[in-house]
Amino acid sequence: MVNFGSTDSRQRIVLLLSLVTSIVLVILFFSGSIFTNISRGEIAYTQVDMVAGSIFVFVISMIISLSLWPRIADWFESKEKNNNKIPE
């Protein structure tokens, strides 16, 4: 099912997944702040607030996702190993 191969490729995959996760969360945060400004009719957040918030969301989500994705990968690998065992 999921084959990560060597340790080096697994680290690259975890890093790429963390980057993608963080970028998606930044896009969600930034679009939410833009839609909030549009819906209120007045400026609720300045551009500096939105950029600083996006940087903060990126850093925090990278920290969290870099700790979660290896656990998820381990879970998939252990699940695959349990499915490949032949019952006797």
Side-chain angles (χ1 to χ4, degrees), residues 15-81:
L15 179 63
L16 288 174
L17 286 172
S18 297
L19 281 172
V20 169
T21 303
S22 297
I23 290 171
V24 167
L25 289 174
V26 166
I27 290 170
L28 288 173
F29 172 81
F30 196 73
S31 62
S33 61
I34 289 174
F35 289 138
T36 300
N37 276 348
I38 292 171
S39 67
R40 289 193 178 180
E42 61 185 42
I43 296 177
Y45 304 112
T46 64
Q47 288 181 351
V48 174
D49 291 337
M50 291 188 284
V51 170
S54 297
I55 292 169
F56 179 75
V57 167
F58 181 79
V59 170
I60 294 298
S61 63
M62 277 297 290
I63 292 169
I64 294 171
S65 63
L66 281 171
S67 65
L68 288 178
W69 279 115
R71 292 182 185 190
I72 294 170
D74 289 341
W75 181 76
F76 275 123
E77 286 179 357
S78 67
K79 185 177 176 183
E80 181 180 324
K81 287 178 184 176

